[in-house]
């Protein structure tokens, strides 16, 4: 007979400063499962961007270099089947470390080139300036996969899975063009520039509504609030301010400033969203005087506490403030790996690259709300079981976590299946139909009662 040893829940995939690719098992440490290998971008080219698909069936690694060339590789992870007659089962139970090492030896990781493409030239775009690639993002729509790129001329280009250009449109006139792309809801892409952000459709190759703007300092980083299903956007500005905008008002599109974070730093932040909180790493700009001397800390901002506003009691806007002295975090990334049926059974990791140090440090990250908050969440969950905070969070967490760290990119691949979440539009329709039936029944009962009293 044969058996297959369980594989890891995630893989740690990185691009080092030499633009070489490696894959690790984050639970076992040890040597890489694959690599370091060259991905074929060529000599004197540095890989500057790393992204991945979120599909459980097809794992694609997308890399882009300093010359604007994009290469897409397919990653396969196979657990070797072992003949039980040839496996030496000792009577002594294996320790956790031995079990991880044994599993490590049975994993087979391969990577193969799928396609490659590059941005249209400046001449083809009718510009004397050569476009610079600022962002790349794979998007899946059913069985189709697209690749979206944002460039310094303000354009978003969409490519088919085979690397053929589907189309390109200019979405902003701001200096520096499109600075970043984020996955939105229903295969939409959220783009941002220095002074605007908006929603882009990869199928229609068009902006769905007028971009949102209205601030003075340039945008440094953007993150979506998962508990609001991408309809709430958090902007970190270069002057240290952090603004929160709502993009919906009922069923209508909007651009409403919801609230503002406390101003705790004159330096901008790099943002990550995690379980009702926004993690913010102080990140001085490249031209900041004496940049290396600025203390870099990670703040955990409590969104619910800030949304309530200030009162007589002490503010709970900042849940945690973490410093790593004498180390200075240069960049970081976060991923949650789904390992069970409950929201508290997610395995979260944070990868931090420290200034002047080789490699990255990988930490486990957990957040346990106070008892009072847990009780309040349980009450809400009991009243609205289908659309509770925890289910909204689970439906947002990517099945593949992405670590987008400059020069050292880290990806956590979730290799375990997650239960399918019901679509929000189905939940809303069922709720509406139920309320409509109740209203009609109450109206009918009232009419019958009135008719009896008149008789």
């Amino acid at each position: 007979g044969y058996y297959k040893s369980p594989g890891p829940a995630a893989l740690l995939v990185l691009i080092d400063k030499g633009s070489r690719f490696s894959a690790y098992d984050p639970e076992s440490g040890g040597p890489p499962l694959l690599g370091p290998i060259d991905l074929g971008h060529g000599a004197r080219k540095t890989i500057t961007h790393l992204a991945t698909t979120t599909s459980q069936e097809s794992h694609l690694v997308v890399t882009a270099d300093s010359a604007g060339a994009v290469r897409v590789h397919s990653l396969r992870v196979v657990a070797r089947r072992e003949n039980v007659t040839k496996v030496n089962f000792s009577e002594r139970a294996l320790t956790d470390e031995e079990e991880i090492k044994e599993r490590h030896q049975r994993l087979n990781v391969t990577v193969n080139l799928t396609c490659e493409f590059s941005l249209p030239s400046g001449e083809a775009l009718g510009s004397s300036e050569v476009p610079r690639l600022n962002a790349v993002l794979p998007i899946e729509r059913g069985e189709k996969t697209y690749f979206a790129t944002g460039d310094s001329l303000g354009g978003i280009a969409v490519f088919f899975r085979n690397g053929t250009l589907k189309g390109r449109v200019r979405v902003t006139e701001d200096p520096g063009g499109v600075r970043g792309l984020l996955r939105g809801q229903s295969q939409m892409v959220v783009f941002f520039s220095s002074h605007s952000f908006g929603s882009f459709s990869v199928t229609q190759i068009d902006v769905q509504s007028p971009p949102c703007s209205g601030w003075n300092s340039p945008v440094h980083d953007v993150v979506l609030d998962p508990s609001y299903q991408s309809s709430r956007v958090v902007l970190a500005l270069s002057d240290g301010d952090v603004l929160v905008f709502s993009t919906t008002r009922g069923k209508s599109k909007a651009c409403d400033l919801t609230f503002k974070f406390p101003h705790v730093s004159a330096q901008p932040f790099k943002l990550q969203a995690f379980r009702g909180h926004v993690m913010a790493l102080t990140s001085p700009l490249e031209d900041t005087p004496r940049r290396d001397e600025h203390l870099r800390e990670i703040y955990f901002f409590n969104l619910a506490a800030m949304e309530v506003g200030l009162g007589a009691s002490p503010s709970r806007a900042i849940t945690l403030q973490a410093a790593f002295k004498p180390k200075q975090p240069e960049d970081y990334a976060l991923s949650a790996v789904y390992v069970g049926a409950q929201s508290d059974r997610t395995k979260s990791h944070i990868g931090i690259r420290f200034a002047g140090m080789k490699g990255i440090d990988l930490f486990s990250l957990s957040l346990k709300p106070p008892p009072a908050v847990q009780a309040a969440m349980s009450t809400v969950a009991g009243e609205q079981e289908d659309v509770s905070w925890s289910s909204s969070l689970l439906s947002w967490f990517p099945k593949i976590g992405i670590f987008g760290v400059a020069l050292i990119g880290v990806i956590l691949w979730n290799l375990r299946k997650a239960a399918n979440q019901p679509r929000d539009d189905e939940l809303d329709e069922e709720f509406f139909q139920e309320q409509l039936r109740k209203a009609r029944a109450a109206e009918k009962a009232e009419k019958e009662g009135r008719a009896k009293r008149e008789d």
Side-chain angles (χ1 to χ4, degrees):
Y2 292 85
Y3 80 98
K4 184 186 291 186
S5 60
L11 282 186
L12 179 67
V13 179
L14 62 85
I15 301 294
D16 61 26
K17 288 188 176 181
S19 296
R20 295 171 300 179
F21 173 89
S22 301
Y24 293 83
D25 181 351
E27 297 179 8
S28 67
L33 299 172
L34 177 66
I37 61 174
D38 182 79
L39 291 181
H41 281 269
R44 299 181 182 179
K45 293 182 180 179
T46 302
I47 295 180
T48 56
H49 296 83
L50 172 68
T52 178
T53 55
T54 58
S55 171
Q56 293 277 334
E57 307 299 333
S58 176
H59 305 311
L60 298 179
V61 177
V62 184
T63 53
D65 60 37
S66 53
V70 181
R71 291 173 67 87
V72 182
H73 290 80
S74 175
L75 181 70
R76 290 197 61 189
V77 183
V78 179
R80 299 189 186 96
R81 296 170 63 89
E82 297 289 342
N83 191 325
V84 294
T85 61
K86 297 182 180 180
V87 177
N88 181 23
F89 290 99
S90 101
E91 296 181 357
R92 179 181 63 86
L94 296 178
T95 65
D96 292 341
E97 183 178 355
E98 291 172 335
E99 185 176 348
I100 291 174
K101 288 183 177 179
E102 185 174 322
R103 181 186 64 193
H104 184 284
Q105 295 173 354
R106 296 197 180 102
L107 286 177
N108 182 29
V109 181
T110 58
V111 62
N112 297 291
L113 179 65
T114 300
C115 72
E116 56 182 325
F117 56 90
S118 59
L119 292 177
S121 64
E123 182 179 355
L125 300 175
S127 172
S128 59
E129 184 180 351
V130 178
R132 183 182 69 254
L133 182 68
N134 289 340
V136 60
L137 184 70
I139 301 295
E140 294 161 301
R141 185 176 178 85
E143 297 181 354
K144 295 182 179 180
T145 301
Y146 301 98
F147 304 105
T149 62
D151 59 58
S152 59
L153 299 183
I156 296 180
V158 179
F159 297 82
F160 291 104
R161 179 161 182 163
N162 62 2
T164 304
L165 178 64
K166 176 179 174 65
R168 179 186 178 274
V169 64
R170 191 166 187 174
V171 297
T172 180
E173 301 286 341
D174 292 340
V178 177
R179 295 196 174 189
L181 301 173
L182 303 170
R183 286 188 182 90
Q185 191 178 11
S186 301
Q187 289 81 40
M188 298 295 293
V189 173
V190 176
F191 69 89
F192 65 91
S193 62
S194 61
H195 291 84
S196 66
F197 71 86
S199 183
F200 179 84
S201 171
V202 296
T203 55
Q204 300 178 12
I205 314 182
D206 194 13
V207 178
Q208 296 299 290
S209 58
C212 187
S213 60
W215 52 89
N216 295 323
S217 181
V219 172
H220 184 72
D221 197 13
V222 175
V223 72
L224 305 180
D225 182 358
S227 57
Y228 279 75
Q229 298 171 347
S230 305
S231 66
R232 197 155 77 169
V233 183
V234 184
L235 308 179
L237 307 185
S238 296
D239 61 1
D241 282 338
V242 181
L243 310 179
V244 181
F245 282 86
S246 177
T247 59
T248 58
R249 190 187 306 123
K251 293 186 177 180
S252 303
K253 298 291 184 180
C255 178
D256 298 333
L257 178 61
T258 306
F259 59 90
K260 179 181 176 181
F261 282 27
H263 190 88
V264 297
S265 172
Q267 304 300 326
F269 290 109
K270 290 185 178 179
L271 306 177
Q272 297 284 346
F274 180 68
R275 293 192 181 180
H277 292 70
V278 168
M279 299 171 58
L281 169 65
T282 49
S283 177
L285 299 173
E286 292 294 335
D287 58 356
T288 301
R290 304 170 68 179
R291 182 176 184 269
D292 295 338
E293 299 180 11
H294 287 273
L295 179 63
R296 303 176 193 179
E297 302 173 300
I298 297 180
Y299 295 84
F300 286 74
F301 289 96
N302 189 325
L303 293 173
M306 290 186 291
E307 193 169 7
V308 170
L310 299 177
S313 60
S315 171
R316 298 184 180 273
I318 299 178
T319 303
L320 176 66
Q321 182 177 348
F324 300 87
K325 292 180 66 176
K327 296 180 180 180
Q328 289 278 61
E330 183 73 21
D331 209 341
Y332 78 130
L334 171 73
S335 182
V337 179
Y338 182 83
V339 296
Q342 301 297 326
S343 62
D344 59 350
R345 296 191 64 194
T346 53
K347 203 180 257 189
S348 302
H349 295 83
I350 177 172
I352 302 178
R353 177 165 58 89
F354 292 100
M357 300 183 65
K358 294 183 178 180
I360 62 170
D361 289 359
L362 189 65
F363 300 86
S364 294
L365 181 64
S366 61
L367 178 65
K368 186 176 181 180
V373 177
Q374 284 184 324
M377 288 170 55
S378 299
T379 302
V380 174
E383 295 175 353
Q384 298 179 344
E385 181 178 358
D386 290 334
V387 290
S388 65
W389 179 88
S390 58
S391 65
S392 298
L393 185 65
L394 269 182
S395 65
W396 177 85
F397 269 144
K399 296 180 179 64
I400 300 175
I402 301 175
F403 279 5
V405 181
L407 298 182
I408 298 182
V410 184
I411 302 175
L412 285 180
W413 293 95
N414 184 1
L415 303 179
R416 299 185 181 175
K417 298 288 185 180
N420 294 329
Q421 297 292 329
R423 290 172 46 187
D424 294 325
D425 55 353
E426 293 175 352
L427 293 175
D428 293 340
E429 183 178 357
E430 291 177 3
F431 177 78
F432 175 76
Q433 294 293 344
E434 180 65 23
Q435 296 301 316
L436 185 61
R437 284 194 294 270
K438 290 181 180 180
R440 288 175 175 172
E443 183 180 2
K444 182 179 180 181
E446 184 179 355
K447 289 181 178 180
E448 292 177 352
R450 190 184 301 115
K452 290 181 179 179
R453 287 194 298 271
E454 290 177 354
D455 292 342

